[in-house]
Amino acid sequence: MTSPTAWSSGKLRFFRRPFHEYRLTDRVAMSQMPLFVTTLLTAFLMWAFFPATMNNPFFLTFLVSQLVLMGLCYLVPWDRLPYTSFLVIPLLDFVSIAFGREGGQESLTGISLLAVFPVIWWCASGYYPRLALWLSFLAPLAIIWVPLLLKGSFTAQDFARSLLLPVMMLGIGVSVSVLTLSMMRQQRELEEKDAQLQANLLTSQRQESLLNTVLDTVHLGVLAVDADGHDILMNRKQRANHELARPKDIADPNESQLLVFGPDRKTLVPVQERPVRRAVLGETFTDYLVWLGAEKEQRAFVTTARAMKDAEGKFAGSVIAFSDVTDLVNALTAKDDFVSSVSHEFRTPLTSILGYVEILLGDEPEESQRQMLEIIRRNSERLLTLVSDLLASRNGQLIVTPHAVDVAELVRASVSSATPKAVASGVVLAAETPERLEAHVDGARISQVLDNLVSNAIKYSPDGGNVVVSLAQENGHLACRVTDTGMGMSPEDASEVFAKFFRTSSVRRTAIPGVGLGLPISKAIVEAHGGTIEVDSALGQGTTFTFRVPV
């Protein structure tokens, strides 16, 4: 047996449904229900206080017709008929009420007021609004006037007194019609907004699905955090990265507990210097290297962060990308180890060659032999210097010994030494320097930079052209430019030109000799002086290298 509480709860759930969600049959029955219930109450009052009226044929017709109309609401398949055909029910209600008024007005006055129910139904339906207003006046008027006309005994006062009810019904009909039309207009607006919201939601879901698919497809770990550091988006790759950095004995670690190591792979990175924490603090950075995980599972990642701003320009969070570069780092380490090993192997025979050359020169050889020995010594010393520079640049310990030097003289000497090679290549080589320009630099090292740049300018001008070496003092710095009109480089090649062993694609195609070490060593020398070196090049138009060091 159903408890009262359960019945009440079910009833409330039933009436909480929007009216338009019910079946058409249920809506027709619910529209007729108020009049039917009121009819039952009227019948009860008549039976209780005016039992004689219950025998009146007109009143019985009223009761029976209401029962029939209520039955028709459920029995007629309204959904198979033209949609507004159900409005015949309130029309028949007017006829039924007319019988009820005629049979019961002597016992219970005001039965004609029941006409308010079909008036409300018609006007609230929203269909045929003008006809509904005419019916709200004429139908109640007919309920009163038709019986008077049929009886034949009436006066002008009788007709005048009967106008109050139709006018009242007309007022009610107008009010209901205005409210109904307003509600229908609001409903249409809501439906349009709902359709727009549904379309926007569908678009948003599609974009979200596309974004998730893209993020799960790329090989980058992507993490988005809000301004408070809470994760708002993490793709599949980043979840794997997070799992790699998680200590095995901690199920849900915080940032300070994750295994994030520095470049030495042993020292934990302080919390404030970790990529996610830096990003939460609003920092923007690129290619910040860290190692995640422990022991053999460690992987190297370069991290990049970009801040997000809200509509007011305030910090709203960051997006951090994690790129696995373990294989690249291992390859670079292997390459450096190889260079170091080969350089060490070169140093011993070169030292031996120089030693024996010194012995031979000490025996006072003939002039022709001395010249050849000097060539051997000069080139051996150059190779030994190159080997030392490779070892020093690999360890980041390239040492310079600054002293007062006339750099203008160094430029002229470098140009003079390279002139024979320029003439042989059909290149016009010139120097543009002041008479004297002193700076506190390592003269031998700066000469090495000049020789490398001038040699490259001539080498990469295979069809001839012009090479100009200019020197000037700018804002407390010594600025030297080596400009050629040779083959030039693409922007992609220019961005990599200072990398060890790098050679441009055009150079590789033309088989110009070289190993790609001169520019990295030159860059290391300039930076050891606290200076900078940069390149400006256009493919097929030439190149300008500029290095600046403090005077």
Side-chain angles (χ1 to χ4, degrees), residues 232-385:
I232 56 178
L233 185 147
M234 181 185 295
N235 70 343
R236 173 184 52 81
K237 180 65 176 176
Q238 184 55 25
R239 286 193 290 271
N241 295 341
H242 184 79
E243 182 64 21
L244 176 66
R246 180 181 67 84
K248 302 304 180 185
D249 57 340
I250 302 178
D252 187 18
N254 56 38
E255 181 65 28
S256 63
Q257 296 171 320
L258 293 175
L259 301 177
V260 183
F261 297 92
D264 63 358
R265 306 177 63 171
K266 298 178 181 178
T267 305
L268 285 169
V269 177
V271 176
Q272 297 299 322
E273 298 178 12
R274 297 189 175 191
V276 176
R277 186 58 183 167
R278 289 177 61 187
V280 171
L281 295 175
E283 290 189 47
T284 295
F285 52 87
T286 302
D287 294 342
Y288 176 53
L289 179 66
V290 293
W291 286 81
L292 302 183
E295 301 176 352
K296 295 181 180 180
E297 296 181 354
Q298 272 191 335
R299 305 289 295 179
F301 292 86
V302 289
T303 59
T304 299
R306 293 293 181 269
M308 297 184 294
K309 305 290 184 181
D310 60 16
E312 299 178 355
K314 296 180 180 179
F315 176 71
S318 288
V319 176
I320 311 101
F322 291 73
S323 179
D324 191 333
V325 293
T326 307
D327 294 338
L328 176 61
V329 171
N330 290 338
L332 291 174
T333 302
K335 184 181 73 172
D336 286 344
D337 291 341
F338 171 76
V339 171
S340 177
S341 177
V342 172
S343 299
H344 278 295
E345 294 297 327
F346 279 169
R347 174 175 284 182
T348 300
L350 286 173
T351 304
S352 178
I353 291 172
L354 282 171
Y356 280 107
V357 168
E358 292 294 338
I359 293 174
L360 292 174
L361 287 173
D363 291 340
E364 298 181 357
E366 295 179 4
E367 185 62 28
S368 59
Q369 295 175 338
R370 175 179 291 277
Q371 289 179 357
M372 286 186 268
L373 290 172
E374 288 290 349
I375 292 173
I376 294 173
R377 182 175 67 176
R378 184 168 61 252
N379 284 284
S380 297
E381 288 176 345
R382 185 174 181 182
L383 283 173
L384 187 60
T385 301

Side-chain angles (χ1 to χ4, degrees), residues 389-405:
D389 287 343
L390 279 173
L391 291 172
S393 62
R394 184 215 181 239
N395 297 323
Q397 298 174 347
L398 197 148
I399 299 173
V400 296
T401 307
H403 54 279
V405 177

Side-chain angles (χ1 to χ4, degrees), residues 117-165:
F117 294 110
V119 166
I120 292 176
W121 187 349
W122 257 93
C123 294
S125 69
Y127 299 105
Y128 316 113
R130 293 184 179 179
L131 177 60
L133 291 179
W134 279 106
L135 283 174
S136 65
F137 177 77
L138 296 178
L141 187 64
I143 291 174
I144 301 173
W145 279 12
V146 168
L148 289 178
L149 294 173
L150 291 176
K151 291 178 181 179
S153 59
F154 54 85
T155 64
Q157 287 81 4
D158 293 332
F159 284 108
R161 283 196 296 269
S162 63
L163 288 176
L164 179 60
L165 178 65

